[in-house]
Amino acid sequence: QVQLVESGGGLVQPGGSLRLSCAASGRIFSSYTMGWYRQAPGKQRELVADITSAGFTNYADSVKGRFSISRDSARNTVYLQMNSLKPEDTAVYYCNTNGRDRYTYNWENYWGQGTQVTVSS
């Protein structure tokens, strides 16, 4: 099994910045896609950004130009740099990784426990 541990959440002021980190351990492969999702109270969970092993990125329209995702595949770690934060960015942010196990050929999908990001003055 794979374990994902997020860190870096907290309380920030509007316009501020925050960087989230997610370290994966266990039976994980560098070919897996890694990404970030978020869920605000009363809202559906949504994709914020993800990045493939080849470095292709995908962003939600609401965060384009403000957030940036990156990864260190050698360490199985993914980052989310969040700039120009807005109150509507307040949510629990979840790390995710998914891909096909190269030996069992099973499709795997894993989630972290979530980290709270609150944007408020």
Side-chain angles (χ1 to χ4, degrees):
Q1 293 293 318
V2 169
Q3 184 176 37
L4 302 175
V5 180
E6 301 105 329
S7 62
L11 175 65
V12 297
Q13 296 182 10
S17 297
L18 203 62
R19 190 178 80 153
L20 305 183
S21 299
C22 173
S25 61
R27 192 176 175 85
I28 188 170
F29 304 94
S30 61
S31 59
Y32 286 6
T33 294
M34 302 187 76
W36 292 93
Y37 293 71
R38 69 185 181 187
Q39 187 167 22
K43 305 294 183 181
Q44 295 181 329
R45 185 174 298 190
E46 64 174 349
L47 173 70
V48 178
D50 61 15
I51 182 168
T52 71
S53 61
F56 293 104
T57 59
N58 181 47
Y59 295 93
D61 288 342
S62 60
V63 307
K64 286 181 179 178
R66 299 189 298 121
F67 291 8
S68 180
I69 190 169
S70 61
R71 69 187 293 168
D72 183 344
S73 294
R75 300 196 303 171
N76 291 319
T77 301
V78 64
Y79 306 92
L80 184 67
Q81 179 65 47
M82 303 184 292
N83 300 321
S84 302
L85 283 162
K86 304 174 181 179
E88 49 263 46
D89 294 318
T90 296
V92 177
Y93 285 69
Y94 297 91
C95 181
N96 171 269
T97 187
N98 62 85
R100 192 174 299 279
D101 188 298
R102 66 180 63 178
Y103 299 113
T104 70
Y105 298 98
N106 294 325
W107 187 265
E108 306 290 350
N109 187 50
Y110 298 99
W111 295 91
Q113 81 288 346
T115 185
Q116 177 70 46
V117 172
T118 302
V119 185
S120 176
S121 60

